[in-house]
């Protein structure tokens, strides 16, 4: 990857910096590229470090990723027609295009590059037509394959995993998911999402769902800690033109802190290692039919101890898709994209996300978030609130995943409601009788699930 391409990737990602996954730091970018935004994807800084060179083609995988086993895709032979494959790849997964030498679609087959050096390809054979299509194998169950349910238990038997985003507690400052206005209670996203999950779990169980939380408190799921990544952090920095990286951040407001071993090893811990560990739990232990990733959004708040509050408030939902051309260059991301496409998770995610979007819009009264550019996201579905985007969690969890991003935490309205905490019934907040923000969030997601599964699965009464 050339310096020029890194720079353009940086600009692309930085044009839309208002998302939750933006790190709330101001920084100057120096001679080489450092990316503060969208670190939940592979940040370009880490990205460029692992990007293949002639010397390390065998390591052409993203941060903490592993070499894909392409043979597992054999089970998808003849499970999809040419037209269906084309629709999903162009309208959902590769909306920004892809290099012609990575994926080649012909009438009967698709060839997907396994390894550029050896020029090996995986060949997918299409079903001749819909009637000749073999069943799609997956461990999760689509709504229509669930056994019939009684009208008052539309979620009976459904296995749902709730993934409250981030860690919270003592980790919130490290995650840069923390701000405090004067002497008010600090706002820590990981604690807010956990609160929503604790309210949402019993709501879903009332309707018959089997629900588990991916974390039981503010502690990480990964057993690793930042110190475990110091060597990798050092290597990444050296590869990116910092020959003698500093160990520690001396001044937390110094934008050059991203060039320290501490900062890099921390993000490897709380973002990459943590989400990969959660994915292992989802994929190898919990085997849910659906994962709900719970987040709160934010607009850039500047100094966490003197944060900017804004009148802007909105929400949106994300499903996996919209891979960037440079992300598809990674062997593991290209493989995971194809596996996800073939699993047809999208066929379940999209109508479910659209349904949840409508109940959330009704309950919260929030407008749809509009990304300032379409460089990393693609609007999908009918509701106007749902985007496709390649986030680590939506890519790695091998089942339908809905990633919720309601409320701007540092909006004047949400801030007051967060400070009011959780309560029963309604209270007068900013002149309006409202539920607690946590209950409103949980209730509106639960309503969306009830609406969707009531219609999508067979009735048993
Ligand atoms: Zn978040």
């Amino acid at each position: 990857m050339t310096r020029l391409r890194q720079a353009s990737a940086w600009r692309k990602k930085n044009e839309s910096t208002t998302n939750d996954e933006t790190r709330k730091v101001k920084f100057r970018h120096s001679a080489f590229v450092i990316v503060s935004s969208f670190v939940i994807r592979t940040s370009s800084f880490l990205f460029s470090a692992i990007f293949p060179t002639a010397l390390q083609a065998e390591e052409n995988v993203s941060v903490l990723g592993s070499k894909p086993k392409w043979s597992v895709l054999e089970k998808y032979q003849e499970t999809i027609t040419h037209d269906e494959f084309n629709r999903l790849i162009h309208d959902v997964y590769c909306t920004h295009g892809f290099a012609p030498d990575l994926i080649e679609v012909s009438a009967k087959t698709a060839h997907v590059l396994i390894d550029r050096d050896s020029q090996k390809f995986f060949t997918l054979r299409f079903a001749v037509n819909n009637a000749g299509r073999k069943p799609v194998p997956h461990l999760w169950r689509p709504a229509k394959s669930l056994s019939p349910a009684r009208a008052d238990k539309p979620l009976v038997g459904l296995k749902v995993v709730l993934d409250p985003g981030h860690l919270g507690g003592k980790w919130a400052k490290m995650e840069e998911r923390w701000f405090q206005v004067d002497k008010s209670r600090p706002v820590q996203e990981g604690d807010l999402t956990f609160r929503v999950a604790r309210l949402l779990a019993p709501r879903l169980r009332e309707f018959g769902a089997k629900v588990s939380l991916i974390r039981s408190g503010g502690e990480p799921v990964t057993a690793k800690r930042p110190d475990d990544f110091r060597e990798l952090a050092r290597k990444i920095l050296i590869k990116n033109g910092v020959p003698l990286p500093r160990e520690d951040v001396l001044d937390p407001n110094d934008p050059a802190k991203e060039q320290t071993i501490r900062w890099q090893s921390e993000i490897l811990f709380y973002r990459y290692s943590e989400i990969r560990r959660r994915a292992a739990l989802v994929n190898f232990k919990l085997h849910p039919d659906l994962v709900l990733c719970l987040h709160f959004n934010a607009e850039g708040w500047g100094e966490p101890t003197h944060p900017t509050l804004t009148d802007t408030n909105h929400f949106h939902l994300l499903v996996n898709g919209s891979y960037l051309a440079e992300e598809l260059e990674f062997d593991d991301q290209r493989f995971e994209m194809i596996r996800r496409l073939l699993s047809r998770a999208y066929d379940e995610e999209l109508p479910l996300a659209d349904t949840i979007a409508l109940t959330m819009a009704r309950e919260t009264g929030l407008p749809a978030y509009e990304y300032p550019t379409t460089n990393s996201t693609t609007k999908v579905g009918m509701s106007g609130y749902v985007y496709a985007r390649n986030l680590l969690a939506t890519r790695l969890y091998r089942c339908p995943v809905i990633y919720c991003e309601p409320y701007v935490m540092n909006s004047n309205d949400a801030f007051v409601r967060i400070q009011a905490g959780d309560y029963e019934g309604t209270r007068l907040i900013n002149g309006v009788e409202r539920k607690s923000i946590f209950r409103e969030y949980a209730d509106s997601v639960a309503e969306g699930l009830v609406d969707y599964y009531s219609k999508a699965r067979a009735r048993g009464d």
Side-chain angles (χ1 to χ4, degrees):
M1 190 176 199
T2 65
R3 186 78 22 112
L4 196 69
R5 279 185 64 199
Q6 286 175 33
S8 74
W10 178 85
R11 269 200 303 279
K12 269 190 208 165
K13 291 178 183 180
N14 242 33
E15 277 161 18
S16 45
T17 54
T18 49
N19 190 272
D20 168 54
E21 306 312 338
T22 307
R23 295 196 68 150
K24 314 299 183 302
V25 265
K26 285 211 173 355
F27 65 96
R28 293 178 297 274
H29 63 109
S30 47
F32 57 91
V33 178
I34 293 179
V35 166
S36 270
S37 57
F38 299 132
V39 279
I40 197 151
R41 296 165 167 278
T42 314
S43 96
S44 284
F45 189 40
L46 289 160
F47 176 83
S48 61
I50 317 291
F51 198 81
T53 63
L55 291 170
Q56 50 156 187
E58 71 283 4
E59 291 174 36
N60 185 27
V61 292
S62 30
V63 178
L64 304 184
S66 47
K67 207 173 147 75
K69 292 191 184 74
W70 289 85
S71 59
V72 305
L73 299 184
E74 288 296 336
K75 66 184 177 197
Y76 294 109
Q77 295 292 5
E78 291 156 49
T79 58
I80 191 165
T81 61
H82 165 273
D83 291 0
E84 181 75 352
F85 184 88
N86 246 354
R87 178 183 72 83
L88 287 170
I89 209 153
H90 291 295
D91 299 350
V92 183
Y93 290 98
C94 302
T95 47
H96 310 285
F98 49 84
D101 61 333
L102 291 183
I103 304 162
E104 191 194 303
V105 184
S106 59
K108 291 187 175 166
T109 57
H111 292 284
V112 186
L113 186 72
I114 293 176
D115 180 285
R116 186 163 263 139
D117 279 359
S118 63
Q119 281 297 302
K120 271 200 284 183
F121 286 84
F122 172 77
T123 301
L124 178 76
R125 296 187 306 277
F126 295 134
V128 180
N129 52 37
N130 272 327
R133 214 163 41 81
K134 292 186 178 161
V136 180
H138 33 59
L139 290 173
W140 54 273
R141 296 161 304 163
K144 59 176 184 292
S145 80
L146 291 168
S147 60
R150 282 185 1 219
D152 61 336
K153 297 279 180 196
L155 307 183
V156 74
L158 182 74
K159 283 170 77 179
V160 183
V161 165
L162 302 182
D163 176 11
H166 313 287
L167 302 171
K170 66 178 182 189
W171 307 100
K173 279 189 181 175
M174 180 194 289
E175 297 179 287
E176 298 178 2
R177 288 295 188 281
W178 180 100
F179 69 81
Q180 184 176 30
V181 177
D182 300 324
K183 294 217 162 17
S184 63
R185 198 182 316 163
V187 174
Q188 310 192 148
E189 188 185 346
D191 294 337
L192 306 182
T193 60
F194 189 64
R195 225 160 160 171
V196 172
R198 295 251 308 243
L199 288 164
L200 179 54
R203 297 273 194 289
L204 299 178
R205 287 184 192 121
E206 277 169 37
F207 295 109
K210 291 176 192 155
V211 186
S212 35
L213 268 64
I214 211 160
R215 62 178 166 100
S216 52
E219 284 305 298
V221 172
T222 177
K224 303 277 190 200
R225 290 298 178 267
D227 278 351
D228 296 316
F229 297 107
R230 297 184 75 80
E231 252 333 284
L232 179 58
R234 182 191 305 276
K235 278 184 192 157
I236 287 172
L237 286 162
I238 291 169
K239 267 201 163 299
N240 280 275
V242 188
L244 293 167
R246 272 195 292 134
E247 287 287 330
D248 264 311
V249 177
L250 300 176
D251 170 4
N253 296 320
D254 179 0
K257 70 180 175 182
E258 295 180 20
Q259 298 170 29
T260 61
I261 291 168
R262 160 146 343 253
W263 194 91
Q264 293 287 339
S265 58
E266 285 176 353
I267 196 168
L268 286 165
F269 150 68
Y270 69 73
R271 177 80 23 93
Y272 294 92
S273 173
E274 176 66 13
I275 294 176
R276 285 190 181 278
R277 184 63 204 141
R278 290 184 193 192
L281 282 181
V282 168
N283 298 338
F284 305 120
K285 189 172 171 207
L286 299 169
H287 300 297
D289 300 310
L290 170 70
V291 177
L292 297 169
C293 296
L294 306 171
H295 289 254
F296 282 73
N297 212 337
E299 295 278 340
W301 60 54
E303 289 282 312
T305 49
H306 298 92
T308 306
L309 296 186
T310 170
D311 284 332
T312 307
N313 202 1
H314 46 67
F315 95 88
H316 70 294
L317 302 173
L318 294 153
V319 297
N320 186 253
S322 196
Y323 285 63
L324 302 180
E326 55 264 40
E327 291 166 346
L328 293 167
E329 293 284 337
F330 286 111
D331 295 345
D332 58 334
Q333 294 206 38
R334 191 166 61 254
F335 167 80
E336 283 153 5
M337 183 276 291
I338 291 284
R339 176 170 59 190
R340 196 158 189 93
L341 182 157
L342 293 173
S343 83
R344 304 301 217 291
Y346 181 76
D347 292 351
E348 194 76 21
E349 284 166 346
L350 184 69
L352 177 55
D354 262 347
T355 310
I356 296 174
L358 294 180
T359 57
M360 290 190 93
R362 198 169 60 218
E363 279 259 352
T364 65
L366 292 174
Y369 176 58
E370 300 294 337
Y371 280 86
T373 78
T374 52
N375 282 332
S376 59
T377 56
T378 304
K379 205 175 244 197
V380 289
M382 304 297 285
S383 64
Y385 295 89
V386 183
Y387 288 88
R389 187 173 169 192
N390 177 23
L391 299 175
L392 198 49
T394 60
R395 183 172 81 245
L396 294 183
Y397 300 170
R398 287 182 220 159
C399 63
V401 182
I402 312 285
Y403 195 102
C404 307
E405 285 280 13
Y407 308 110
V408 171
M409 289 184 289
N410 60 322
S411 67
N412 287 302
D413 189 53
F415 176 73
V416 172
R417 298 183 71 191
I418 290 165
Q419 292 297 314
D422 183 35
Y423 50 85
E424 284 185 28
T426 60
R427 271 192 205 168
L428 199 62
I429 305 248
N430 292 336
V432 186
E433 280 291 334
R434 309 208 68 165
K435 284 185 189 178
S436 90
I437 195 169
F438 306 101
R439 282 170 202 238
E440 183 179 271
Y441 190 157
D443 288 353
S444 61
V445 172
E447 265 178 62
L449 259 69
V450 165
D451 275 9
Y452 175 74
Y453 285 96
S454 297
K455 291 189 190 100
R457 74 191 282 180
R459 287 282 282 274
D461 49 0

